[in-house]
Amino acid sequence: MNKILIVGAGPGAEDLITLRGAKALQEADFVLYAGSLVNPQLLKHCKKECVIKDSANMNLEEQVSTMLAFAKDNKKVVRLHTGDPAIYGAINEQIRLIKAEGCEIEIVPGVSSVFGAAARLGIELTSPEISQSVVLTRTPGRTPMPEKEKASAFAKTGATLVFFLSTGKLDDLMEDLHKNGELSLDTPVAVVYRATWEEERILRGTIADISQKVEEAGFGRQALIFVGKALQGQEDKNVSKLYEKTFSHGYRNNLQREYFQGTCALYAFSKQGLAKAKEITQGLNLPTQIYSVYEDEQAITIQKGNITNLISQNWNSFDAHIFIGATGIAVRSIAPCLEHKSYDPAVLSCSDSGSHIISLVSGHIGGANRLARKIARITGGQACISTATDTNNKTGIDEIAMELNARILNPKAIKTINSKLLHNEPLDFIGDKELYTQYFEKLGIHYANQKTNNSCIFIDFPQEELAYSDEENLYLSTKSFVLGIGCRKGVEPELVQERLHDFLSSHNISEKQIARISSVSLKKDEKAILNLAEKLHVPTYFYEEQELENIAIPNPSQTVHNKIGVKSVSEASSLLCAGYPKVKRPFVEKTAYEKCLTFALTKLPHGKICSQKQGIMSVVGLGSGSHKHITPEVMEIIKNCDVIAGYTPYLDFIRNDIGDKPIIQNGMMGEIERCKKAMQEACKGKHVCMVCSGDPGILAMAGLLLELRRNIPEFNSIIVNTYAGITSANIAAASLGAPLQNGFCLVSLSDLLVPSDEVHQNLHAVASSALPIALYNPAGKKRRDLLHEAIQIFLETRGKETLSAYVKNAGRENETKWIGKLQDFPFEEIDMSTLLIIGSERTIFDDTYLYEARGYMEKYNK
């Protein structure tokens, strides 16, 4: 038996039925509709074979039995009611009888005539400070009204009243509302006849005159009566606070104690948590990314058992990490990443239901407390905050620093100062009197002109170097921003200063808050930038193009890249100047003016600022080691880097080019130690050059350095650039002729880092191909078994007549080589400096050169 659908047809207009209601009509096999109340045009949605019947002349039992007959025949049945079935629809008795026969019911809501009529009146039924309630009711008729639901009782509440089925007793109703409901005779009234139908009519009046107007108009019973002051519209003073600038709610929040700007990662561990993450994301209106253990188009899937690695990778990429689930998951996941309250991002734990939002890490400086309150407003939950100052209704000094957008020079002193603030111990303030009055006086801190025995808060202390190690006094600097500038050559200084004023004003930042100006080195003589720095009394920092090109920025520009070779100047330079990669995102992203000028702002970190020079690791290939095989690009890097690193024998090739540069070197088996030391130097802002023989990306150090960069957080930010070298296969092939003409396979015979089984697997795979093979690392003094096994594999697959060759010390002065058949291979002459080439069916030896036939002769020389 099919279920029966009770569908709301809407107020009357053909296009005001819901999409779900229209679909139900389109699929119906039988439709029973209220003929006198439902617009017959709606029945055009029905298919031709649908049976349609008017219920006007049917009683309840007839209606129900007819619908059940179709439903039992597995037909789709629709009972079409006017408006919304839930309001005066008389559906309860239908539902009871239908369910008694074991048939299910589904109700499809519709647009009630009350809302259709209100729309036609052009009013809001709930008007601030006038009426915030709407009563939908009727006057008594053959169906009596409960004693407590008299119209006069509702009228006394001041709510907007809407009366159904009451036009016939309009005189009595108006008299009751005036005498017993205490409504004045000038109370507005509107009567809407057949709202949204073609024959719709509207009358407006008051309690005093509406009855006569309706009688003269001859309105029938299908009219709604609206009573209340909301009908006269709003006065200017009675406006909703919903869209006021100062009004805050879950989706638009301007409260300072709930202010948070930054990127957020949300991690969901249940389907309910995923739904809550989506709700929070919508409400935050911030850059967000959802991660979920369940696949979803709005989320990145968390691989099983990978949450700790994911958090480690994401840690410095987001300003906040929000865990939707058990707090234990959050605590265990973030533990390896925690560094210091001054640098750690905000971390919060939110229950799946959103009922509790816990601020876990970086409550003040990272903004976790403010974000918890913000999310609580979105979810309707409770922000759980445990920082001592907050729980004692005091404002932490680091929270005030965040309000000021100030930089804390010695974060370790926060604990001391907040403790004294919490215990009402004396604290002094030395600095700008206006800032004191606005932020510090209310905390009971004393204003002082000079240092006393009390712990003190200094604002803009001139000798910053003395502040960093002090743990008894707190030093704040309002000069906390780096201004990055990109500009056209010769831009007018006046234009730069005018547009800077506009830029800073739009973000409520003062010129006094600028600590540094940064740009590309091409602009170090730009008059507009130098004049601005002089005007603001701040230093300038200029960076080479290569340093800027490797900074991850939000708004790269291909136009700028085409002109000067970098994708960003203002954003990249300001980040670098502020201590990138510790600081990863601009405070204010790039803003362009007149197509000749860009500004960006990055906030300086708390504490002592790291080197403003970005560490770079260049991994270069020396080819054979002979200078004729070193590319000019690589030689330029060797000459200009700060530190040289490499395997001692490889460094011997370039000793005369190193000069007095610091050197990191060791022997075989010291690769990890060597690469770690090199990366540590790069962390200090130095340009380190790691030299390799051949090409650095083939059986050399590039891969190891990139592994270390990924797996050791300290190295995550190091820029690793790889510069090609000529690998020994190419040098050896050139010495022999052209034996790799049609392509080749490259295989290492060393099993020091790769299991021998894998080496065997590789050998069998390439031996069965039609390509020549280049064998690297063929044998050491003790490691020779794999060489014999490899030659045996090639003998079995390619045959003993296969041409082969070796080149020892390829490209060097002591180079030697051999060419012959595989059956005559000279095993005893092979060492680690030897490269082997196993030929293919196309390989030819003409007594002088070893080469492969390319195929031109066969195709074109006919």
Side-chain angles (χ1 to χ4, degrees):
M1 185 187 304
N2 271 344
K3 64 183 176 182
I4 294 174
L5 271 64
I6 297 177
V7 176
E14 182 182 352
D15 58 354
L16 285 180
I17 190 171
T18 65
L19 291 174
R20 187 180 296 182
K23 183 180 179 183
L25 289 177
Q26 292 163 5
E27 297 176 350
D29 299 307
F30 174 65
V31 173
L32 184 65
Y33 76 103
S36 61
L37 302 174
V38 171
N39 188 340
Q41 295 299 314
L42 291 170
L43 301 175
K44 291 192 297 184
H45 288 287
C46 300
K47 55 192 177 186
K48 289 183 179 180
E49 59 270 28
C50 178
V51 179
I52 301 173
K53 191 172 182 61
D54 185 353
S55 65
N57 60 354
M58 301 171 70
N59 62 36
L60 174 64
E61 288 73 16
E62 290 172 335
Q63 294 174 25
V64 172
S65 62
T66 303
M67 289 188 286
L68 285 171
F70 279 92
K72 289 176 181 178
D73 195 25
N74 288 323
K75 302 296 184 183
K76 293 183 178 180
V77 177
V78 168
R79 175 67 167 112
L80 191 62
H81 275 268
T82 184
D84 183 273
I87 300 176
Y88 300 115
I91 61 173
N92 280 341
E93 48 267 42
Q94 297 177 60
I95 294 171
R96 185 174 64 254
L97 293 176
I98 290 170
K99 284 190 173 181
E101 294 295 322
C103 183
E104 291 298 315
I105 287 285
E106 181 182 334
I107 299 174
V108 178
V111 178
S112 172
S113 57
V114 65
F115 303 118
R120 300 301 295 145
L121 288 169
I123 60 168
E124 180 182 349
L125 299 178
T126 53
S127 183
E129 299 184 32
I130 295 175
S131 171
Q132 287 290 284
S133 302
V134 180
V135 176
L136 309 182
T137 186
R138 57 171 292 177
T139 54
R142 283 181 289 180
T143 301
M145 295 291 289
E147 180 64 27
K148 294 183 179 180
E149 294 185 16
K150 290 182 178 180
S152 57
F154 289 133
K156 290 178 180 179
T157 66
T160 302
L161 308 179
V162 184
F163 293 91
F164 290 72
L165 310 170
S166 302
T167 318
K169 297 183 178 181
L170 191 56
D171 268 338
D172 294 340
L173 175 61
M174 293 300 109
E175 183 177 359
D176 183 39
L177 293 177
H178 172 55
K179 290 185 176 180
N180 302 316
E182 301 176 1
L183 295 182
S184 64
L185 290 174
D186 61 356
T187 300
V189 181
V191 180
V192 183
Y193 173 70
R194 292 178 77 82
T196 77
W197 291 61
E198 287 186 4
E199 57 267 40
E200 171 191 278
R201 294 176 65 189
I202 297 174
L203 288 176
R204 298 176 185 270
T206 63
I207 285 179
D209 61 15
I210 194 66
S211 296
Q212 183 177 348
K213 290 182 178 181
V214 169
E215 184 178 355
E216 291 172 354
F219 279 9
R221 61 188 181 86
Q222 293 181 22
L224 287 171
I225 304 163
F226 291 77
V227 181
K229 292 183 179 180
L231 272 67
Q232 65 192 11
Q234 293 178 325
E235 298 180 11
D236 289 343
K237 64 180 181 179
N238 297 325
V239 296
S240 170
K241 296 185 181 297
L242 181 60
Y243 300 111
E244 278 187 4
K245 290 181 179 180
T246 57
F247 186 73
S248 294
H249 54 72
Y251 295 89
R252 193 183 75 250
N253 193 331
N254 296 310
L255 297 176
Q256 180 62 43
R257 66 193 305 270
E258 297 175 20
Y259 178 80
F260 185 90
Q261 287 293 317
T263 55
C264 302
L266 295 93
Y267 307 92
F269 304 97
S270 68
K271 290 183 177 179
Q272 186 181 4
L274 177 57
K276 189 59 61 177
K278 292 179 180 179
E279 177 190 343
I280 293 169
T281 293
Q282 183 181 6
L284 287 176
N285 194 29
L286 294 170
T288 57
Q289 177 60 63
I290 298 174
Y291 297 85
S292 171
V293 296
Y294 294 94
E295 290 188 6
D296 187 271
E297 61 182 12
Q298 297 182 40
I300 294 175
T301 304
I302 301 173
Q303 300 303 320
K304 187 175 182 181
N306 194 45
I307 182 63
T308 302
N309 289 337
L310 176 62
I311 300 304
S312 178
Q313 292 171 21
N314 285 351
W315 187 247
N316 290 320
S317 299
F318 293 92
D319 296 301
H321 298 270
I322 304 163
F323 292 79
I324 316 294
T327 301
I329 297 175
V331 172
R332 284 189 290 272
S333 300
I334 68 173
C337 302
L338 294 173
E339 184 179 352
H340 192 274
K341 64 189 294 182
S342 302
Y343 311 118
D344 291 330
V347 180
L348 299 90
S349 175
C350 175
S351 61
D352 284 352
S353 64
S355 60
H356 295 85
I357 302 90
I358 305 170
S359 171
L360 290 176
V361 172
S362 206
H364 290 160
I365 293 177
N369 291 358
R370 298 189 297 278
L371 184 56
R373 297 185 190 106
K374 189 182 186 80
I375 294 175
R377 189 177 290 273
I378 295 168
T379 65
Q382 174 67 48
C384 303
I385 294 168
S386 58
T387 41
T389 49
D390 294 84
T391 56
N392 286 275
N393 295 317
K394 292 181 180 287
T395 304
I397 211 72
D398 41 350
E399 186 76 8
I400 289 179
M402 296 307 98
E403 286 187 39
L404 279 167
N405 267 325
R407 178 173 155 240
I408 303 170
L409 302 185
N410 56 332
K412 288 185 178 180
I414 293 172
K415 182 177 180 180
T416 301
I417 300 300
N418 275 343
S419 176
K420 291 180 180 295
L421 190 65
L422 191 62
H423 294 96
N424 297 315
E425 295 179 26
L427 284 170
D428 290 344
F429 175 95
I430 296 178
D432 184 87
K433 187 65 178 286
E434 186 176 335
L435 288 179
Y436 167 76
T437 303
Q438 186 174 357
Y439 293 98
F440 298 91
E441 186 176 23
K442 59 188 175 185
L443 302 179
I445 298 172
H446 308 109
Y447 185 81
N449 292 313
Q450 58 185 10
K451 184 74 176 72
T452 68
N453 292 328
N454 299 330
S455 289
C456 185
I457 300 166
F458 292 92
I459 292 282
D460 295 328
F461 186 73
Q463 295 173 286
E464 284 194 6
E465 288 298 325
L466 300 179
Y468 298 130
S469 59
D470 191 339
E471 296 185 21
E472 291 300 317
N473 305 288
L474 187 68
Y475 298 81
L476 304 179
S477 174
T478 58
K479 287 185 171 294
S480 50
F481 291 102
V482 177
L483 174 67
I485 302 179
C487 65
R488 183 193 63 210
K489 185 177 180 181
V491 67
E492 298 82 359
E494 295 76 12
L495 177 66
V496 173
Q497 295 185 24
E498 288 172 8
R499 294 298 171 263
L500 177 62
H501 178 270
D502 299 338
F503 173 69
L504 295 177
S505 297
S506 65
H507 298 287
N508 198 30
I509 292 171
S510 163
E511 287 185 351
K512 295 179 180 179
Q513 293 176 275
I514 304 299
R516 303 172 174 184
I517 292 176
S518 66
S519 191
V520 65
S521 59
L522 291 172
K523 301 297 176 183
K524 62 184 178 181
D525 296 320
E526 192 68 52
K527 183 178 178 182
I529 295 177
L530 299 178
N531 284 4
L532 180 63
E534 184 178 357
K535 175 178 179 287
L536 299 180
H537 305 290
V538 297
T540 54
Y541 293 80
F542 298 98
Y543 299 94
E544 298 298 325
E545 291 89 331
Q546 185 187 28
E547 294 179 277
L548 298 181
E549 182 62 5
N550 290 293
I551 305 298
I553 40 89
N555 301 293
S557 169
Q558 191 59 46
T559 301
V560 175
H561 187 270
N562 293 340
K563 288 183 178 180
I564 64 171
V566 296
K567 294 179 180 178
S568 169
V569 172
S570 58
E571 288 181 337
S573 68
S574 68
L575 283 167
L576 198 49
C577 191
Y580 181 91
K582 196 63 128 179
V583 180
K584 288 188 174 293
R585 289 170 298 281
F587 185 82
V588 178
E589 293 182 7
K590 177 181 70 177
T591 302
Y593 296 93
E594 274 92 4
K595 296 183 179 180
C596 66
L597 179 64
T598 61
F599 296 120
L601 280 175
T602 298
K603 194 172 181 182
L604 289 164
H606 304 294
K608 192 170 184 177
I609 300 172
C610 300
S611 169
Q612 281 77 55
K613 188 174 181 181
Q614 174 65 5
I616 297 174
M617 172 64 66
S618 293
V619 199
V620 304
L622 301 180
S624 66
S626 171
H627 275 57
K628 64 184 178 182
H629 289 145
I630 301 176
T631 67
E633 181 181 42
V634 168
M635 188 55 72
E636 188 71 16
I637 292 169
I638 291 171
K639 290 180 179 179
N640 293 327
C641 68
D642 301 314
V643 179
I644 289 280
Y647 177 46
T648 299
Y650 299 159
L651 289 173
D652 290 340
F653 294 134
I654 56 169
R655 292 287 177 187
N656 294 333
D657 304 296
I658 295 175
D660 59 355
K661 289 183 174 66
I663 298 174
I664 299 170
Q665 61 182 333
N666 59 12
M668 290 290 290
M669 314 298 288
E671 291 86 354
I672 293 179
E673 178 190 1
R674 184 192 319 146
C675 287
K676 280 186 175 180
K677 286 183 177 179
M679 292 291 272
Q680 287 165 355
E681 288 299 308
C683 284
K684 300 174 184 177
K686 295 179 181 178
H687 182 183
V688 181
C689 176
M690 174 68 72
V691 300
C692 310
S693 68
D695 182 273
I698 299 176
L699 305 172
M701 294 296 101
L704 174 56
L705 288 164
L706 291 171
E707 278 189 273
L708 293 172
R709 181 185 184 275
R710 178 180 180 180
N711 296 325
I712 299 178
E714 178 188 357
F715 301 155
N716 289 166
S717 61
I718 298 301
I719 298 163
V720 177
N721 296 322
T722 304
Y723 296 90
I726 305 175
T727 187
S728 57
N730 298 112
I731 299 172
S735 177
L736 294 167
L740 308 179
Q741 178 71 34
N742 292 304
F744 68 100
C745 299
L746 187 158
V747 178
S748 170
L749 290 186
S750 172
D751 59 356
L752 292 176
L753 301 175
V754 176
S756 57
D757 288 346
E758 186 176 327
V759 176
H760 283 118
Q761 182 181 351
N762 293 338
L763 288 169
H764 283 289
V766 299
S768 62
S769 75
L771 294 169
I773 317 299
L775 295 177
Y776 281 58
N777 305 320
K781 291 180 180 179
K782 298 179 180 179
R783 184 182 55 80
R784 306 192 69 83
D785 290 347
L786 274 172
L787 172 61
H788 287 271
E789 292 166 9
I791 298 301
Q792 185 60 39
I793 289 170
F794 290 117
L795 283 168
E796 292 172 359
T797 54
R798 299 196 174 189
K800 60 184 180 181
E801 297 293 321
T802 301
L803 288 168
S804 59
Y806 79 64
V807 179
K808 187 182 293 187
N809 297 312
R812 300 169 188 166
E813 290 182 2
N814 57 339
E815 176 186 286
T816 59
K817 54 191 173 185
W818 169 88
I819 300 173
K821 295 179 181 180
L822 199 57
Q823 64 181 355
D824 301 323
F825 191 81
F827 290 97
E828 68 283 355
E829 298 176 15
I830 306 304
D831 61 20
M832 283 294 287
S833 299
T834 310
L835 182 118
L836 278 57
I837 292 179
I838 310 297
S840 70
E841 289 184 359
R842 289 176 173 268
T843 304
I844 298 168
F845 181 52
D846 64 4
D847 293 331
T848 304
Y849 299 108
L850 186 72
Y851 64 95
E852 270 198 311
R854 183 72 177 94
Y856 289 112
M857 297 295 287
E858 293 88 340
K859 185 169 184 178
Y860 299 114
N861 191 29
K862 294 180 180 179

